[in-house]
Structure formats: C-alpha cells, structure tokens
Amino acid sequence: MDRVVIVGGGVLGIMHAVEARRLGHRVVHLEREPGARGASVRNFGLVWVSGRAPGPELALALRARNRWEELAAAVPAAGFRANGSLTLATGDAELQLLKEAAELPDAAQRGYELLDPQAAARDLNPELGGSFAGALLCRRDAAVEPRQVPGAFRDHLLAGGTGQAPAASGTARAGYSWLPGREALEVAPHAVRDHTGTWHHGDLVVLCTGAAHTGVAGQHLAGCERQPVRRVRLQMLQTRPLPGRLTTSIADGDSLRYYPAFDLPGRDRLPPQQPAAAAAAAQLLLVQRLDGSLTIGDTHAYDEPFAFDVDEDAYDHLRGRAEELLGSRLPPTQRRWAGVYSQVTTSELYHRSAVAPGVVLVTGPGGRGMTCAPAIAAETFA
Ligand SMILES: Cc1cc2nc3c(=O)[nH]c(=O)nc-3n(C[C@H](O)[C@H](O)[C@H](O)COP(=O)(O)OP(=O)(O)OC[C@H]3O[C@@H](n4cnc5c(N)ncnc54)[C@H](O)[C@@H]3O)c2cc1C
C-alpha cells in the first residue's frame, strides 16, 4: 500500500492519518468543515479505562491508552496527562459496588484501588472537600485536551512527523495533505469524490465520518440488514477556571449505572437515581482542563429527533452534584454545548465495514471513541 485517503478530521480520522504515516504511507485527508467540529472536540478528553467491560473492550482501551502516552511524547500539544480518576460513592450501595469492582480479576490492570474518603480527599485530591463515602481510584485513566487534539496532530503531520518523535524536518511534508472544506459525496472502488468534483484515489480510502449517518456513508448504512449504528446526544458545560488544582478526573456514583465494568451484583442494589438525573440519563464526569476550567457532563438522549436546544434542569443537577463532591461553589459556567456520537448497536466495540472495494467505513465507537481511537486505527491497518 502506498496512498491512503481519509475522510473526516475528528479523532478517528486523525489517528488513522497518524498510523498511516507511521507505516510510511502517503495520506490525503479530507474534512468538510474548516477543522474538526464533531464529537472529538466536544468531549471530556477522557482516556477512560476504568469503566470498560472485561475482555476485548478493556484490552482495546489499554492498548489505546499506551499508544496515547507514546504519542504524547511526539505531540505534547495534545495535553496528555496520566492523572487517573476517582469514582466517588455517596451511599452504602454505591460503596459496596465500588468494593466489588476493586476485587475484579482485572483490577490490577486497570490500576483500581479502593480509598476511604480521607485518603481520597486529603492525600490524593485535596480539592475534594465535599461529602462522600469512599472512592475508587483508577490509576490507568488519563486525559487529553480535546479541543487541541486534532489540530495538534495535524500540525505534527504537516511538519513531517509520523507520530513517533517530534517532527525533525520538513522533508516528509509531501507525505500528508490536509484538505479542509471538502465534503465527500460519493465513493467508488479505491476512490472518493468531494463536492468540488475532484476524485481522490488511494490504495485504501477510510471514511471516518462520525455521526453523519446520512452522508457519504448513509447509502451503505441504509443497505445493511440491521442499522449497525445509532446516534446519541449529550449535553456538556465548561466553567471558568477553578482557583485550585484537581489532581484526578472525577466521576459520581451515577456513572456506575452506565459503564459495563460495574455490571456486577451490587448494581441491582443501587437506589433510584435522582429524578433530574434519571430524566436526562445523567452521570457526573468532571475533568479539569489545563487552563484550570472544568469540563462537566453529561446527559444521554437516544431518541431522534434530538432537541436543538439545551436543557437547564440537567445543568442544574450536574453543577449541584459537582458542588456536593467538591464541597465548594463552582466557578460560573462559561460555555454550554451538546455533542452527538455514533454508537454501535451490536456487540462489536465499533463499526468497520467495506463500503466498496478499497473503501472502509470506521465509526460507532460511542462514548469510548476518544479513548480507543489510536488502537482502532491500528486495527484498520493490521
Ligand atoms: C459530549 C461527548 C463527550 C464524550 N466524551 C468522551 C470521552 O471523554 N472519552 C471518550 O473516549 N469518548 C468520548 N466521547 C466519544 C468520542 O468523542 C467519539 O466517539 C469520537 O470523538 C468519535 O470520533 P470521530 O472521528 O468518529 O467523529 P467526529 O469527531 O464526529 O468526526 C467526524 C468528522 O467527519 C467529518 N465529516 C462527516 N462527513 C463528512 C464528509 N462527507 N466529508 C468530509 N468530512 C465529513 C465531520 O465534519 C467531523 O469533523 C464523547 C462524545 C461526546 C459527544
């Protein structure tokens, strides 16, 4: 293989570009917007190992997490830090479930450790001044800066980098072409046509078109026996900078309801969710950005058509939960937004299918896409 065409400038597209360059292929990279605007820049930037299902999902996440760490050495602007996470239990039932998780056979692979509130708050993350019953530390969790990731890797590739070491010279520059403002409309064997009418030919064309299920991938998806992917909409917010420094990312006990790692006997004993959380299928995840601000989410809507506006009740709930756990007032909200991801409806971890000879569609990683993108890209080329 020599030439690879990639459609979509989100994290899956850029990680395929990085992997292709690492393998020595020339890359042409198309994106319909001026830059990434989809789920990849709207997410928490969590490289999240802790909640993954045992087996293949955990293995994929761990491979990806290791790759993120390697890539960070070459692309420091991605903001990778191995900061770990704390999942905080607020009652006995949540605490019992955390204890079950801490005893999983793969707990050591995840870097799980059960902490009492004192240890979690005083020793590990002194900003946690609120009330909670205990915490599950996941040492393998990490974070990146989602708004910076696509641009940081593009700059690296444009400077001749291949994801392995800081770009040293411009000699390999011809190996990567970034074509923003080009919408792919049609595929043919080993080729894709953009809206200007230009055909881009490659030994391999990879469509990383995210949650655009009716675009260039739409005809193929509609032809599948059963719709292999669905769309999920999430609400998020970002505060102004917090004066203190959170040493880990934070999750509340509601996250135990959603992540497959916690599908353990104790889950059935969890009390009902608070009504505002249940109405929005909410969990609290909180990541401090490098500038000190806090990214806070999230909610889940599964039924389309999605609301075009954001719902304040969900934000009140999430801010309230964060304040309970931190034991202090949050800085004012600076930004609110919603994001949509593509999620497989099968037992696969993501969707990959041949759309035409030499053309593959890779999408549907759902809420693990930022985490797993480097490993998914490696699997495409393997
Ligand atoms: C609010 C939110 C929070 C999340 N938090 C996390 C998290 O913390 N950790 C985690 O692991 N995952 C998280 N996820 C999931 C993760 O963000 C996604 O799985 C991942 O970003 C998907 O990447 P992508 O490249 O497939 O899609 P996208 O980022 O949507 O990129 C697709 C790109 O393709 C372009 N495109 C589409 N059609 C065409 C076309 N025809 N021609 C040219 N370009 C086209 C789009 O413009 C877009 O830029 C979250 C998702 C959301 C929405």
Side-chain angles (χ1 to χ4, degrees):
M1 194 175 358
D2 178 36
R3 188 178 154 98
V4 177
V5 179
I6 296 167
V7 180
V11 69
L12 272 181
I14 197 72
M15 285 301 160
H16 277 82
V18 169
E19 185 64 12
R21 291 298 297 133
R22 188 182 71 80
L23 295 169
H25 309 312
R26 286 179 298 145
V27 171
V28 175
H29 195 177
L30 281 66
E31 162 60 49
R32 65 183 176 187
E33 304 282 345
R37 292 282 176 91
S40 301
V41 290
R42 297 172 189 234
N43 65 42
F44 294 94
L46 282 168
V47 179
W48 198 246
V49 169
S50 65
R52 304 293 157 217
E57 184 179 352
L58 178 61
L60 184 75
L62 284 170
R63 282 203 305 282
R65 193 250 179 245
N66 290 342
R67 183 73 182 125
W68 269 115
E69 194 156 17
E70 286 165 15
L71 290 170
V75 186
F80 178 92
R81 60 265 189 201
N83 61 340
S85 76
L86 285 173
T87 299
L88 304 176
T90 41
D92 275 352
E94 288 178 0
L95 186 59
Q96 286 310 316
L97 183 45
L98 291 189
K99 284 183 182 160
E100 287 176 21
E103 285 162 12
L104 281 170
D106 56 21
Q109 275 179 283
R110 300 168 192 263
Y112 274 172
E113 187 184 337
L114 193 71
L115 302 177
D116 64 38
Q118 306 298 333
R122 194 181 305 138
D123 303 339
L124 200 76
N125 203 338
E127 286 295 315
L128 287 174
S131 72
F132 53 94
L136 184 68
L137 168 66
C138 180
R139 288 202 171 80
R140 298 298 288 160
D141 282 342
V144 292
E145 291 299 285
R147 289 168 189 244
Q148 290 170 209
V149 162
F153 279 95
R154 275 195 324 261
D155 289 348
H156 173 78
L157 295 177
L158 285 167
T162 58
Q164 295 175 98
S169 76
T171 50
R173 214 167 270 198
Y176 177 72
S177 308
W178 166 241
L179 301 180
R182 301 286 187 108
E183 179 159 359
L185 294 182
E186 182 187 355
V187 295
H190 298 280
V192 62
R193 180 175 65 83
D194 72 30
H195 75 282
T196 69
T198 306
W199 280 96
H200 305 271
H201 298 270
D203 300 283
L204 181 67
V205 176
V206 190
L207 304 179
C208 297
T209 43
H213 291 173
T214 53
V216 68
Q219 202 176 351
H220 168 72
L221 289 171
C224 294
E225 202 170 302
R226 174 160 98 85
Q227 183 72 11
V229 283
R230 65 172 175 176
R231 302 185 340 137
V232 181
R233 176 185 179 273
L234 291 73
Q235 279 189 206
M236 306 280 285
L237 71 88
Q238 188 173 347
T239 69
R240 294 194 184 280
L242 180 82
R245 194 78 219 157
L246 281 168
T247 57
T248 67
S249 301
I250 303 292
D252 78 348
D254 278 336
S255 69
L256 302 174
R257 300 168 194 273
Y258 300 112
Y259 286 107
F262 306 114
D263 190 5
L264 298 166
R267 190 185 258 182
D268 293 337
R269 292 190 284 275
L270 292 178
Q273 250 184 320
Q274 289 181 23
Q283 63 180 341
L284 174 74
L285 296 175
L286 188 159
V287 183
Q288 190 168 33
R289 304 265 66 94
L290 292 178
D291 70 358
S293 63
L294 305 175
T295 303
I296 294 177
D298 57 16
T299 63
H300 298 90
Y302 303 98
D303 296 328
E304 298 203 44
F306 294 137
F308 58 81
D309 46 8
V310 290
D311 174 56
E312 204 57 26
D313 288 349
Y315 286 129
D316 288 345
H317 166 77
L318 290 168
R319 284 188 58 100
R321 288 292 293 138
E323 288 182 345
E324 281 162 26
L325 297 173
L326 294 178
S328 58
R329 296 297 302 274
L330 285 181
T333 298
Q334 187 176 6
R335 302 188 175 107
R336 300 165 208 271
W337 66 95
V340 176
Y341 61 62
S342 170
Q343 182 184 50
V344 275
T345 54
T346 64
S347 57
E348 303 294 314
L349 298 176
Y350 59 93
H351 175 85
R352 178 187 290 105
S353 57
V355 173
V359 183
V360 292
L361 168 64
V362 185
T363 187
R368 57 191 157 226
M370 196 69 171
T371 303
C372 295
I376 292 173
E379 290 189 348
T380 297
F381 291 99

